[in-house]
Amino acid sequence: MPLTKLQFRPGINRELTSYTNEGGWYDGNKIRFRAGVPEKIGGWVKAAQGTYIGSARALHSFTSLAGAIFTGIGTHLKYYLLVGETLHDITPVRKTSTTDDIFAATDGESTIVVTDNAHGAVKNDFVTFAGAAALGGSGNITATVLNQEYQVAKVVSANVYHITAKDTSGDTVVANANDTGDGGTGTTAAYQVNVGLDTVVYNVGWGTDTWGRDTWDSDGTLGVLSTLRLWSHDNFGEDLIYNVRNGGIFYWDTSAKAATYGRGVSLNSLTNADSGTPTIAKKIIVSDRDRHIIAFGCDAETSIGTQDPLLIRFSGQESATTWNATATNTAGDLPLSTGSEIVTAIETRQQILVFTDVSLHAMQFLGPPFTFGIGMISENITIMGPNVAKAVDDTVFWMGVEDFYIYDGRVRKLPCSVRSYVFNDFNLAQKDKAFAGLNSTFNEIWWFYPSGTNAECDKYVVYNFLENAWTYGSLSRTAWLDRGIVDNPLATGNDQHVYFHESGLDDGSTAPASVIQAHIESSPIDAGEGNSFVFLNRLLPDITFEGSSATAPKATFTLKMRNSAGGNYLETAENNVTQSAAATSTVVEQFTEQVFIRLRGRAFSLRVESSDVETQWRLGTNRVDLKVDGKK
């Protein structure tokens, strides 16, 4: 019998049984499809020297007029700017108070009691003290110990909270008998915006959080939060506008702040800001075409501080401070009447798509006197969370609760060959953590999601919109940003590091870099509708290791035999296929010519994997020497 070519459809299919999917791929991890064939994905390296605090949920890059590149990183505790390889904390301050005699310490304890009326802090908030005096002449609680940033350890009441004394290196400091003072007069306390949750909590009050999470008589009700901390951000020219979901809107002036990386300020505190400037929103976007700042799910001009989850407002053109609508400016609002809240909004080249919990709307720039108009597109959609939609030019892809969707002028469900595999293993309790990312170099939309009972995103599903191919795998990431201003995609991990993706060939989270375990496996292939046994005695591999930096990169080819669709694999043959030096040039690639095997069964599968560093591989059309070997 002549050699048989093993040619497979691009993409992984888990909607069919493995046997029914003959001629396709059934499983894989950390692979992608390009020109119809699978290859190992690129590696990642650390983009910053240090780590940030908290779980990052948002990334945004922009540039200054001087050409400096900034990347905003929003976590549940802080907001940072990554400049070069350095992280700068620009978390806004919500309140600054100057008070006398606010500290109290107890001999032998590290807890410091802080009394500051109407402090507004919740547990884990950050506060920076300045101007405090030592608590004792020869005490351990010196002025240096007090005058630094602290995280609130416990909220006792609206006027009292606890911090844990530390030195400048972060080590705990214990008070002694001489620490009997109170910090003196004129202590300044700068409170950063309240922290948010890094996990979704649906209930507040009795039963919120875990039983016994603190000591008896601790802050069981004070400072209870219920919303996952998410950020939205956009650049207004060279400046940054950033927003806490269901919280404040802030402004970072590059020309005024870049020299010292000072903290951002509330949008309504800017010079000449209108009295109707919104103070709370679900999301903000700066419209690229017409330069309006748009706030979604915000407070109305006449009801500042009271959030309307279905209200859209926009500033005057080219202005961050003009929000009161008049006949001489283009500020205004658009109330929606469908749904209970705005979930998210996505800007395309021509319009802005606005998602509520039950509907989709298109918002378009009309020009004066109406400025913007909005119309409903569909009422028959779902969306998994605020960050699961991604635009590619004028096409938008998003993850629904049970399906994937596409909008390209009309809304339709996106056929998905791994739909059941993804949604049957989805932790819906943490669905707001799911997010989408564009990898434009490879025409891919990545969705990261929490699987099973995992609290963080640990798996991904990828759609190649050029080749209509789906893949999936395991990788822990919390936010993603496509290349553009930065040369490679950026992503954040659960280890509080920022990574450049598609950089190198390995997992750069370790030192030295470790291997990326990548594999792909086909569905079973039979001969004669599975009526006959087949005998395999030879494999002629077709693979390229182009791009590898290893001296002798290799991939492991495994052929597996079984006798029925529901049976176990009875025999396997595993062999390494290794690249050797090219005879004349890198265009002519040499590798293992043929592999001799002895396998007999009714159906066989092919698995290809790699487990060595500095290795890149891409499959071609492999061939096997296959003979029909009877019906018994």
Side-chain angles (χ1 to χ4, degrees):
M1 188 172 181
L3 290 170
T4 301
K5 290 184 177 181
L6 302 182
Q7 295 178 309
F8 301 96
R9 296 180 296 275
I12 295 175
N13 192 332
R14 296 299 294 260
E15 293 297 285
L16 306 174
T17 65
S18 61
Y19 185 80
T20 306
N21 189 46
E22 182 178 10
W25 299 103
Y26 194 70
D27 187 36
N29 186 32
K30 297 182 177 66
I31 57 97
R32 63 164 44 97
F33 284 86
R34 189 157 60 95
V37 296
E39 68 179 22
K40 175 175 166 271
I41 65 171
W44 49 88
V45 297
K46 291 177 181 177
Q49 294 176 342
T51 57
Y52 50 81
I53 299 174
S55 299
R57 307 290 179 196
L59 293 166
H60 175 72
S61 289
F62 62 104
T63 60
S64 69
L65 296 178
I69 297 176
F70 307 100
T71 299
I73 304 171
T75 81
H76 78 284
L77 298 176
K78 294 273 193 176
Y79 192 96
Y80 295 88
L81 281 184
L82 174 63
V83 186
E85 295 183 359
T86 304
L87 290 162
H88 300 275
D89 180 2
I90 65 163
T91 310
V93 170
R94 63 171 176 82
K95 174 186 177 181
T96 300
S97 63
T98 301
T99 315
D100 300 335
D101 312 327
I102 68 172
F103 299 112
T106 301
D107 182 20
E109 295 185 4
S110 60
T111 296
I112 297 178
V113 178
V114 183
T115 301
D116 189 7
N117 292 341
H119 54 73
V122 299
K123 185 178 178 180
N124 293 326
D125 269 9
F126 291 87
V127 55
T128 303
F129 300 106
L135 299 192
S138 57
N140 292 336
I141 312 301
T142 64
T144 301
V145 168
L146 291 174
N147 293 316
Q148 57 180 319
E149 181 183 86
Y150 277 96
Q151 194 168 14
V152 174
K154 175 182 177 180
V155 176
V156 178
S157 69
N159 302 324
V160 179
Y161 59 89
H162 292 174
I163 59 175
T164 302
K166 62 181 181 179
D167 59 23
T168 53
S169 63
D171 295 330
T172 300
V173 175
V174 176
N176 64 26
N178 295 313
D179 289 311
T180 57
D182 53 24
T185 61
T187 299
T188 298
Y191 296 93
Q192 296 169 32
V193 294
N194 294 132
V195 300
L197 292 178
D198 65 345
T199 192
V200 178
V201 176
Y202 290 102
N203 300 308
V204 295
W206 180 261
T208 298
D209 215 324
T210 54
W211 175 264
R213 69 186 186 279
D214 263 325
T215 58
W216 176 262
D217 199 33
S218 64
D219 50 324
T221 56
L222 289 166
V224 171
L225 306 171
S226 60
T227 302
L228 180 70
R229 172 54 51 87
L230 300 175
W231 295 82
S232 61
H233 36 203
D234 209 340
N235 54 290
F236 186 67
E238 69 166 357
D239 298 335
L240 174 71
I241 296 179
Y242 49 130
N243 160 239
V244 171
R245 182 173 178 82
N246 295 320
I249 306 171
F250 308 100
Y251 195 90
W252 193 77
D253 188 326
T254 297
S255 60
K257 301 286 187 179
T260 60
Y261 295 102
R263 301 184 184 279
V265 299
S266 296
L267 185 65
N268 66 342
S269 71
L270 295 178
T271 303
N272 299 320
D274 283 346
S275 60
T277 301
T279 62
I280 185 170
K282 290 182 174 292
K283 183 166 185 172
I284 55 95
I285 286 177
V286 176
S287 176
D288 288 337
R289 294 184 61 197
D290 42 86
R291 297 271 294 168
H292 289 82
I293 300 172
I294 307 172
F296 300 87
C298 61
D299 42 355
E301 179 182 332
T302 56
S303 302
I304 295 300
T306 302
Q307 185 179 20
D308 183 340
L310 288 172
L311 180 65
I312 304 170
R313 292 184 61 198
F314 42 90
S315 69
Q317 195 165 18
E318 299 282 356
S319 175
T321 58
T322 303
W323 289 88
N324 292 350
T326 69
T328 58
N329 65 37
T330 56
D333 61 27
L334 292 169
L336 298 181
S337 58
T338 304
S340 60
E341 66 171 341
I342 294 172
V343 176
T344 192
I346 298 294
E347 185 175 20
T348 70
R349 285 184 175 181
Q350 301 296 325
Q351 58 192 350
I352 296 173
L353 296 188
V354 183
F355 294 80
T356 73
D357 50 344
V358 297
S359 58
L360 177 63
H361 306 256
M363 180 177 173
Q364 292 182 311
F365 178 68
L366 304 176
F370 301 107
T371 311
F372 287 98
I374 194 164
M376 183 183 293
I377 296 175
S378 176
E379 285 187 290
N380 299 311
I381 62 101
T382 62
I383 185 165
M384 185 66 78
N387 292 328
V388 298
K390 188 59 60 176
V392 182
D393 296 328
D394 285 323
T395 302
V396 177
F397 303 88
W398 72 94
M399 173 188 279
V401 174
E402 293 287 346
D403 293 283
F404 293 92
Y405 292 85
I406 181 175
Y407 173 76
D408 55 3
R410 63 189 181 97
V411 175
R412 52 194 171 89
K413 290 183 179 179
L414 191 62
C416 176
S417 60
V418 295
R419 172 184 170 276
S420 297
Y421 178 88
V422 171
F423 290 111
N424 288 345
D425 187 38
F426 202 109
N427 183 0
L428 291 174
Q430 301 299 324
K431 64 186 180 66
D432 282 356
K433 293 181 180 179
F435 66 95
L438 172 64
N439 192 349
S440 58
T441 300
F442 297 97
N443 308 301
E444 296 169 341
I445 305 292
W446 290 58
W447 283 276
F448 291 85
Y449 63 95
S451 67
T453 58
N454 290 297
E456 289 293 344
C457 295
D458 62 316
K459 289 189 178 180
Y460 67 84
V461 55
V462 178
Y463 177 60
N464 185 314
F465 50 83
L466 188 64
E467 303 193 24
N468 193 31
W470 292 87
T471 58
Y472 60 76
S474 299
L475 184 62
S476 295
R477 291 294 180 262
T478 61
W480 180 281
L481 178 68
D482 190 26
R483 66 169 178 81
I485 293 176
V486 292
D487 294 334
N488 294 81
L490 277 172
T492 51
N494 290 330
D495 57 0
Q496 285 70 54
H497 278 287
V498 187
Y499 293 97
F500 284 122
H501 272 254
E502 309 302 339
S503 180
L505 304 174
D506 303 310
D507 177 356
S509 65
T510 61
S514 53
V515 66
I516 295 175
Q517 299 279 357
H519 76 268
I520 190 163
E521 184 170 332
S522 75
S523 290
I525 304 163
D526 59 28
E529 301 299 324
N531 295 322
S532 301
F533 282 83
V534 295
F535 178 71
L536 293 181
N537 67 353
R538 188 169 51 139
L539 165 70
L540 276 70
D542 182 23
I543 189 172
T544 176
F545 294 100
E546 183 180 1
S548 297
S549 54
T551 303
K554 70 175 185 289
T556 301
F557 281 64
T558 304
L559 287 165
K560 304 191 290 187
M561 277 285 188
R562 65 182 179 184
N563 290 337
S564 61
N568 293 325
Y569 285 106
L570 304 176
E571 294 182 296
T572 62
E574 180 180 295
N575 291 274
N576 292 329
V577 175
T578 305
Q579 175 183 267
S580 56
T584 56
S585 72
T586 56
V587 176
V588 180
E589 187 172 29
Q590 295 181 350
F591 47 83
T592 305
E593 293 184 18
Q594 56 186 339
V595 176
F596 292 98
I597 54 179
R598 292 182 63 84
L599 291 176
R600 184 177 184 271
R602 293 185 184 275
F604 69 93
S605 298
L606 171 68
R607 179 184 174 97
V608 181
E609 57 194 316
S610 59
S611 56
D612 291 330
V613 296
E614 300 180 357
T615 298
Q616 177 63 41
W617 55 266
R618 187 179 187 214
L619 279 186
T621 303
N622 299 277
R623 293 175 293 166
V624 292
D625 196 344
L626 182 152
K627 295 181 175 60
V628 177
D629 195 37
K631 296 186 177 181
K632 293 185 179 180

